[in-house]
Amino acid sequence: GQNIDQPTEMTATEGAIVQINCTYQTSGFNGLFWYQQHAGEAPTFLSYNVLDGLEEKGRFSSFLSRSKGYSYLLLKELQMKDSASYLCAGFGPTSGTYKYIFGTGTRLKVLA
Amino acid sequence: DTEVTQTPKHLVMGMTNKKSLKCEQHMGHRAMYWYKQKAKKPPELMFVYSYEKLSINESVPSRFSPECPNSSLLNLHLHALQPEDSALYLCASSHAGRDEKLFFGSGTQLSVL
């Protein structure tokens, strides 16, 4: 089956830049998603990369290298409200069917 | 309308109770999902409905019974749950097909006593 790995926790300072990495097995995924989830709330969609390279959306950017099975989410000008879990996810084959596979999630704490 | 609405938001039930979780969307999505999420863990897929038919059951115990009465509604019927079933239950929907983003409801926080 597919595994998607992320660091468990990260801490950064308000106003700084943080990069959250995601690595996965290279077979089967068409593209990669990033979701943000605040504690006790539902995940919300942040970005989707289907082509290699960097996609920029305001303070958030996401990068994908399909050949390396690697993605990252870059958060600039960190704000306290960015404290949340960040999930990367792929849609790919596992156990004979296609489905969403979520990474382990990274809990980001932004300090004042 | 880009919302997925889940009710109730919180539910406390005993191990002998029968209850149902409800989910509704009006975005025309033909794929609907139930996920279970424990604290500090990623969502775990339970069931997927595609065009109102059950397409994926992730070997979920039969005390969880999904139902998709029509393209806008998804239910999860609960019976004889165990304390370890306490979790956040998330409904999601998407357009059917590969690589479609998920729209999640706000979840039902379930406690089984």
Side-chain angles (χ1 to χ4, degrees):
Chain A
Q2 302 278 1
N3 282 325
I4 304 181
D5 294 312
Q6 301 177 235
T8 305
E9 289 187 350
M10 298 182 74
T11 303
T13 308
E14 198 174 15
I17 298 173
V18 73
Q19 178 175 310
I20 302 174
N21 295 325
C22 171
T23 57
Y24 62 96
Q25 292 177 264
T26 55
S27 61
F29 288 150
N30 217 29
L32 218 69
F33 295 83
W34 283 95
Y35 288 83
Q36 179 192 58
Q37 186 177 24
H38 286 98
E41 297 182 13
T44 55
F45 170 78
L46 285 178
S47 70
Y48 172 60
N49 293 64
V50 68
L51 299 175
D52 287 356
L54 190 67
E55 292 269 346
E56 297 190 69
K57 251 191 212 182
R59 292 190 301 114
F60 292 8
S61 304
S62 56
F63 171 85
L64 178 66
S65 168
R66 287 171 296 172
S67 61
K68 293 181 179 168
Y70 170 65
S71 174
Y72 66 73
L73 182 70
L74 193 71
L75 293 77
K76 302 176 194 171
E77 299 167 22
L78 279 174
Q79 301 175 10
M80 300 296 286
K81 66 179 183 179
D82 297 329
S83 292
S85 286
Y86 292 86
L87 299 158
C88 77
F91 191 86
T94 183
S95 305
T97 188
Y98 275 83
K99 57 188 172 186
Y100 254 86
I101 299 159
F102 280 93
T104 47
T106 300
R107 287 192 303 282
L108 174 66
K109 188 182 288 188
V110 179
L111 304 175
Chain B
D1 185 0
T2 58
E3 278 196 357
V4 177
T5 305
Q6 280 188 250
T7 54
K9 292 200 182 310
H10 301 276
L11 180 62
V12 179
M13 59 188 289
M15 289 190 285
T16 57
N17 292 158
K18 282 186 183 180
K19 296 286 184 185
S20 296
L21 309 184
K22 296 186 183 303
C23 176
E24 189 168 2
Q25 57 87 16
H26 296 286
M27 293 179 276
H29 291 166
R30 303 305 294 274
M32 296 186 77
Y33 311 75
W34 281 114
Y35 283 88
K36 173 183 176 180
Q37 188 175 28
K38 291 279 203 179
K40 298 185 179 181
K41 297 289 187 185
E44 293 173 39
L45 183 64
M46 298 175 74
F47 303 104
V48 181
Y49 273 84
S50 182
Y51 294 92
E52 295 91 69
K53 292 195 186 321
L54 184 65
S55 59
I56 295 177
N57 175 343
E58 290 286 277
S59 302
V60 178
S62 59
R63 58 185 184 268
F64 295 91
S65 175
E67 179 196 18
C68 189
N70 61 53
S71 60
S72 299
L73 294 175
L74 185 67
N75 299 322
L76 186 64
H77 303 297
L78 314 173
H79 173 54
L81 294 194
Q82 304 296 310
E84 59 264 27
D85 297 323
S86 298
L88 180 68
Y89 288 84
L90 293 162
C91 172
S93 71
S94 73
H95 290 295
R98 288 192 60 171
D99 293 86
E100 296 290 343
K101 69 181 180 186
L102 295 176
F103 290 77
F104 284 90
S106 54
T108 295
Q109 189 64 55
L110 174 67
S111 296
V112 182
L113 304 178

